[in-house]
Amino acid sequence: MRKLLLAGVLFYLIGCATSPHKSSVKIYIEQKNAEKAILEGQKWVADEPQNPQAHLWLGVAYVLKKDYQNAAESFVKAFELDPNLKNPQLLDKTFTVGGIKLFTADGVATTLQNGGTLASKEGKNEEAVKYLRTAIELFPDKAQLYLLLSATYQKMGEDDMAKKVLEEGIRRAPDNKDLRYYYALMLVSEKDYDRALENLKRAVEIDSTFGKAYYEMGVIYFEKGDNEKAFDLLKKATALEPDNKDAWFSLGVVSLKLNKFDEAQMAFKKYTELNPDDAQGWFYLGASYYEGGKYEEALQALDKSDQLNPGDPDVYNYKGLVYKKMGDTKKALEMFRRASELEKGKGK
């Protein structure tokens, strides 16, 4: 009964409109009748193709059907016809009929975001850029929009634009950790480590539990040759994100560099638990056991590496070193010969 009453109120309030489709599309939207709302909206657009309101309400009708790309296209068309509509307060007022809020400006932005995301997934990158740019014009402080737009430009191979979008986002939302993080990744790709560190440090100031940022800082300090600092940061990263296999692997490598063999063994053991089919992980675990004087464990790990990636000369060289330490000279020479044969085979 209440729904019928509301529909009646709406009909009374907008029944005197110039176009019958203008009236009915809003009534069907209020009734959540997507198919009829779309049909009436399309008829209104056909009657008045230059009327921004027709496109705007057709967009709302498409949202009811979760047809976000057509909805986004309709909203963009409405804004092209009347740029003044790109105002959240004005949109909220427009969507309120007789005190009943049928849609919101935030809903428009979300629709543009969804439409952009779907378009990007389908390879329609130009459309994705258009929808996301429009959403940013409507809500310029929404950090997620900049992240999505930057990712779209990267898919298009336009890294300079992707970087500029992130810079624009940081100016608008300087305390967003994700904007800082992804901007830092772009700086790392340019080997601009100092500026990358500056942004990653800001990211962990914003969120001290941001494990990925600690991991990236650890890798940067490793690249810069500061292994002690890299070790501390990677330890922090693995504590915060115990399932981050890359962090465990990197921690193992840095630990080997620092002759922290127990730490290296622990890190590579954890890595092989998370990624048991990676031959390289088992190889490094074997190497860390060898360096730590655990020769039986080293052989077991190296055998596992050989099973996963047969014929790696590095594995046989390390096996030779292990057997030599164990006093089995004959077996050691056999391993070294096999490694040499494999090296020659690689050179062919």
Side-chain angles (χ1 to χ4, degrees):
M1 178 63 73
R2 183 174 180 276
K3 181 175 281 292
L4 290 174
L5 178 61
L6 287 174
V9 170
L10 274 177
F11 185 80
Y12 173 78
L13 289 167
I14 59 182
C16 298
T18 56
S19 167
H21 306 304
K22 176 180 179 179
S23 305
S24 53
V25 67
K26 297 175 186 178
I27 292 169
Y28 286 129
I29 286 170
E30 192 276 331
Q31 293 177 346
K32 310 297 183 190
N33 190 328
E35 295 296 340
K36 288 186 177 180
I38 290 170
L39 183 60
E40 291 301 310
Q42 289 171 336
K43 289 178 179 178
W44 186 9
V45 167
D47 286 348
E48 302 179 50
Q50 298 304 308
N51 186 336
Q53 293 287 329
H55 294 278
L56 191 68
W57 285 101
L58 176 57
V60 177
Y62 279 126
V63 172
L64 285 179
K65 196 179 178 182
K66 298 183 179 179
D67 185 348
Y68 297 119
Q69 289 188 65
N70 273 323
E73 194 64 37
S74 294
F75 290 143
V76 168
K77 183 63 177 178
F79 295 144
E80 287 174 353
L81 290 168
D82 184 1
N84 292 324
L85 281 173
K86 278 187 276 191
N87 179 303
Q89 290 75 30
L90 179 57
L91 279 176
D92 282 337
K93 185 177 179 181
T94 301
F95 289 135
T96 302
V97 180
I100 302 169
K101 186 173 282 189
L102 299 182
F103 204 58
T104 65
D106 191 66
V108 173
T110 300
T111 300
L112 290 164
Q113 177 178 323
N114 290 340
T117 301
L118 290 169
S120 181
K121 285 180 179 178
E122 295 174 6
K124 302 174 184 175
N125 294 315
E126 296 294 340
E127 287 89 341
V129 167
K130 178 172 63 175
Y131 302 152
L132 293 168
R133 278 285 182 199
T134 305
I136 287 171
E137 290 170 7
L138 190 59
F139 285 101
D141 294 334
K142 285 199 172 187
Q144 183 65 18
L145 296 171
Y146 295 95
L147 292 167
L148 291 169
L149 182 57
S150 177
T152 302
Y153 276 124
Q154 283 185 290
K155 284 180 66 176
M156 297 168 72
E158 297 186 26
D159 288 348
D160 286 344
M161 280 301 301
K163 185 179 173 185
K164 287 178 182 177
V165 166
L166 291 175
E167 289 170 344
E168 181 185 348
I170 289 170
R171 283 194 295 273
R172 285 288 188 172
D175 293 332
N176 184 275
K177 66 176 184 178
D178 293 314
L179 286 171
R180 296 280 183 178
Y181 173 77
Y182 286 104
Y183 184 54
L185 293 188
M186 297 208 74
L187 293 170
V188 167
S189 70
E190 299 171 356
K191 299 191 183 302
D192 190 347
Y193 295 135
D194 290 338
R195 289 176 65 208
L197 283 171
E198 178 186 328
N199 280 275
L200 290 167
K201 287 175 181 177
R202 182 70 190 107
V204 297
E205 286 174 4
I206 296 164
D207 181 1
S208 61
T209 66
F210 196 10
K212 289 191 297 184
Y214 287 104
Y215 165 68
E216 292 296 338
M217 283 194 286
V219 172
I220 290 172
Y221 277 112
F222 175 75
E223 293 290 338
K224 289 166 71 74
D226 191 338
N227 292 322
E228 287 289 354
K229 191 163 282 189
F231 176 82
D232 291 339
L233 288 162
L234 290 167
K235 284 279 285 185
K236 181 80 170 177
T238 54
L240 290 168
E241 294 189 338
D243 292 333
N244 185 337
K245 59 187 179 182
D246 292 333
W248 284 111
F249 188 90
S250 298
L251 178 60
V253 171
V254 171
S255 298
L256 277 177
K257 286 271 188 181
L258 294 170
N259 295 328
K260 297 184 178 189
F261 302 128
D262 288 343
E263 290 281 359
Q265 292 159 23
M266 180 272 296
F268 287 123
K269 190 170 186 298
K270 182 65 177 178
Y271 175 80
T272 56
E273 289 172 2
L274 293 169
N275 200 16
D277 296 327
D278 182 24
Q280 190 179 40
W282 289 101
F283 170 76
Y284 274 99
L285 178 58
S288 66
Y289 278 135
Y290 166 77
E291 298 294 347
K294 298 179 180 179
Y295 303 126
E296 291 293 343
E297 292 91 334
L299 284 176
Q300 290 173 14
L302 291 167
D303 283 342
K304 181 68 175 178
S305 179
D306 190 41
Q307 290 172 18
L308 292 166
N309 182 32
D312 184 346
D314 290 336
V315 171
Y316 284 90
N317 268 320
Y318 249 103
K319 281 186 177 183
L321 293 172
V322 172
Y323 281 118
K324 186 177 179 181
K325 283 288 187 180
M326 295 173 74
D328 191 338
T329 305
K330 181 179 178 182
K331 196 73 173 175
L333 288 172
E334 181 185 331
M335 294 297 107
F336 290 138
R337 277 196 296 269
R338 179 61 179 146
S340 180
E341 290 169 1
L342 290 167
E343 286 284 5
K344 289 176 182 176
K346 276 188 171 184
K348 288 182 181 179

